[in-house]
Amino acid sequence: MHPLRLPARARVLGTLVAVAASPLAAQPRGGAPAPDFAIATVTAGDATPRTLTLSGLRGRIVVLAFFPKARTSGCTAQMKAYRDQYGALFGTDSLVQVIGISTDDPRTLAAWATELGTPVTFGADTTDAVGKLYAAKMPILPIHKRHLIVVGKDGRIAWEARPFRELAQPAYDSLAAAVRRARSAS
């Protein structure tokens, strides 16, 4: 090994350790109270942003689906899977609220939701505030990682996938099982 490469690798490792130890890496864990937030939300056919708070959804199961960018291939596959499997994943009643969260602006998210015809509510985290709370913000880029968090009716984190594998059916099977467990929890 060339002696000059070792210090460069050591510097990279030091950078990775510093990123891992940063506040962005502190993430809520299963069983912990889910951090509250307020976010502007839009839905298919309604581009008027409405403020939603996590605490306002207490008593319901909330699926926080952080994703990088609207209209990208992986994100489109994920939201189409939610749309196409909605009943199997989340049930047909109103007990489950699915919120897709990205740093896109509300207008972009509303247009995309309408194009997809999805029942998912979209949250516009344009300042990365919610992404930071849930350690979903990319360290350098102004986008989110693909994380999925299920918050139980009690406001505690019931399940999480970090990262969520949007192209693998077993990820959706695990999500459906987590939602079923959250439904049966008192």
Side-chain angles (χ1 to χ4, degrees):
M1 180 180 302
H2 192 277
L4 294 178
R5 291 190 183 169
L6 183 57
R9 287 184 181 164
R11 282 194 303 273
V12 169
L13 181 58
T15 302
L16 293 176
V17 170
V19 169
S22 74
L24 291 177
Q27 61 191 33
R29 291 289 186 190
D36 196 18
F37 60 84
I39 193 168
T41 60
V42 293
T43 59
D46 187 0
T48 304
R50 306 202 190 305
T51 301
L52 179 140
T53 62
L54 183 61
S55 58
L57 297 173
R58 183 66 60 94
R60 294 177 71 187
I61 298 163
V62 181
V63 177
L64 304 175
F66 291 94
F67 65 94
K69 202 85 176 133
R71 293 190 175 100
T72 57
S73 60
C75 297
T76 298
Q78 181 179 3
M79 295 307 154
K80 282 183 176 180
Y82 292 161
R83 178 196 66 200
D84 297 345
Q85 301 178 53
Y86 200 89
L89 292 171
F90 309 116
T92 56
D93 57 21
S94 60
L95 182 61
V96 178
Q97 173 77 51
V98 181
I99 308 169
I101 303 173
S102 77
T103 58
D104 292 298
D105 63 81
R107 191 174 8 192
T108 299
L109 291 171
W112 190 46
T114 300
E115 288 167 18
L116 291 173
T118 181
V120 172
T121 297
F122 284 101
D125 187 20
T126 56
T127 64
D128 290 327
V130 180
K132 288 175 185 173
L133 276 177
Y134 285 87
K137 186 202 176 304
M138 290 267 194
I140 298 171
L141 301 173
I143 60 174
H144 291 151
K145 299 174 188 174
R146 191 179 314 280
H147 289 331
L148 196 95
I149 298 155
V150 175
V151 179
K153 296 176 276 189
D154 61 358
R156 295 186 172 278
I157 295 175
W159 182 81
E160 55 193 333
R162 297 175 184 266
F164 182 72
R165 304 287 185 205
E166 81 282 3
L167 299 178
Q169 185 57 44
Y172 295 96
D173 297 340
S174 296
L175 168 59
V179 170
R180 282 193 302 275
R181 283 191 305 274
R183 281 180 174 280
S184 65
S186 52

